[in-house]
């Protein structure tokens, strides 16, 4: 005869052993994107993953730490976009345009993620103060410097970044995706390209 209590404990132990950071991050990402940051809890994530909330805390100290892990993946996507533009064929102008339009395209095609990355600040979280954000901006700056053979001033690079951010921020919620603002985005990117000279 099987003891049901032993089976339940064994099943929970198996779930906890199979639970990885990636699985938790994937579910947290899903919940952050479908709810609000404040509506997501470690318990809610644990419930969907069918584990104790203690199993989540084993991997992440608190919700903010888990949120930063999710955000870090978004910055990885932006970094991959920058790397792609850097390695692309073409002259400096076409590769710079790829950086500018790629950044805008990411922002407008991933509006919720973009808001979490660049616009969410409260007493619990500040994504822009995190390592992933700083490293991503450094990669942005280094990509432009490399494309332009180290001839750009720090202030120009920063001003371009702020202008790209301003463009995305202006269109957030006003368009569904990049395609709806593509023509204007290309005009803006060309304007910024001219401003670099």
């Amino acid at each position: 005869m099987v003891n049901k209590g032993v089976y339940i404990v064994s099943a929970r132990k198996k779930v906890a052993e199979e639970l990885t950071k990636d699985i938790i991050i994937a579910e947290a990402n899903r919940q952050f994107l479908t709810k609000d940051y404040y509506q997501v809890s470690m318990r809610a994530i644990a419930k969907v993953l069918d584990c104790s909330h203690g199993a989540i805390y084993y991997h992440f100290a608190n919700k903010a730490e888990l949120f930063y892990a999710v955000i870090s993946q978004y910055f990885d996507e932006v970094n991959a976009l920058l790397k792609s533009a850097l390695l692309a064929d073409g002259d400096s102008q076409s590769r710079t345009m790829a950086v500018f339009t790629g950044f805008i395209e990411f922002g407008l095609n991933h509006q919720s993620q973009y808001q979490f990355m660049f616009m969410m600040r409260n007493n619990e979280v500040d994504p822009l103060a995190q390592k992933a954000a700083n490293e991503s901006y450094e990669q942005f700056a280094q990509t432009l410097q490399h494309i332009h053979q180290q001839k750009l001033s720090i202030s120009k690079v920063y001003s371009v970044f702020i202008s790209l951010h301003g463009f995305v921020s202006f269109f957030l919620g006003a368009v569904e995706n990049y395609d709806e603002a593509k023509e204007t985005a290309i005009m803006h990117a060309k304007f910024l390209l001219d401003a670099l000279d």
Side-chain angles (χ1 to χ4, degrees):
M1 183 174 179
V2 177
N3 184 329
K4 286 186 178 179
V6 172
Y7 175 77
I8 290 169
V9 170
S10 298
R12 277 220 178 262
K13 186 175 181 186
K14 186 177 180 187
V15 168
E17 288 173 354
E18 293 173 354
L19 191 67
T20 65
K21 280 190 169 187
D22 288 341
I23 290 170
I24 296 167
I25 290 169
E27 177 55 29
N29 179 50
R30 189 191 68 74
Q31 291 198 27
F32 285 131
L33 292 177
T34 55
K35 303 176 184 179
D36 180 78
Y37 174 82
Y38 292 106
Q39 294 173 324
V40 176
S41 69
M42 301 294 253
R43 285 184 187 276
I45 294 166
K47 184 176 180 180
V48 171
L49 295 177
D50 195 28
C51 66
S52 70
H53 65 282
I56 307 292
Y57 282 110
Y58 175 79
H59 293 284
F60 298 96
N62 51 47
K63 185 171 73 169
E65 185 178 307
L66 176 53
F67 180 73
Y68 290 141
V70 170
I71 296 299
S72 180
Q73 292 190 337
Y74 302 160
F75 281 111
D76 287 345
E77 289 184 50
V78 172
N79 295 345
L81 179 155
L82 293 169
K83 186 174 182 180
S84 174
L86 182 61
L87 299 175
D89 292 329
D91 60 14
S92 62
Q93 289 192 335
S94 65
R95 290 190 294 159
T96 302
M97 284 293 290
V99 170
F100 294 170
T101 57
F103 184 88
I104 294 171
E105 185 172 0
F106 173 86
L108 296 183
N109 284 343
H110 304 89
Q111 295 187 30
S112 295
Q113 292 94 324
Y114 190 90
Q115 288 179 342
F116 284 146
M117 294 163 73
F118 293 102
M119 303 174 79
M120 183 171 179
R121 287 183 185 163
N122 57 45
N123 58 351
E124 277 188 56
V125 292
D126 183 359
L128 291 179
Q130 298 306 302
K131 182 179 177 183
N134 293 324
E135 288 178 349
S136 191
Y137 175 75
E138 281 302 313
Q139 188 164 339
F140 174 85
Q142 288 170 13
T143 298
L144 287 184
Q145 290 290 10
H146 184 80
I147 290 172
H148 292 269
Q149 301 175 343
Q150 313 302 321
K151 294 178 180 175
L152 302 177
S153 68
I154 293 171
S155 61
K156 273 191 177 180
V157 172
Y158 185 70
S159 295
V160 163
F161 179 80
I162 293 299
S163 183
L164 289 170
H165 171 64
F167 185 94
V168 174
S169 301
F170 181 80
F171 281 95
L172 283 178
V175 297
E176 288 290 320
N177 53 46
Y178 173 74
D179 287 341
E180 292 184 18
K182 185 174 181 178
E183 188 177 332
T184 310
I186 291 171
M187 287 172 54
H188 188 66
K190 285 179 178 175
F191 170 79
L192 293 178
L193 182 62
D194 290 342
L196 287 179
D197 294 335

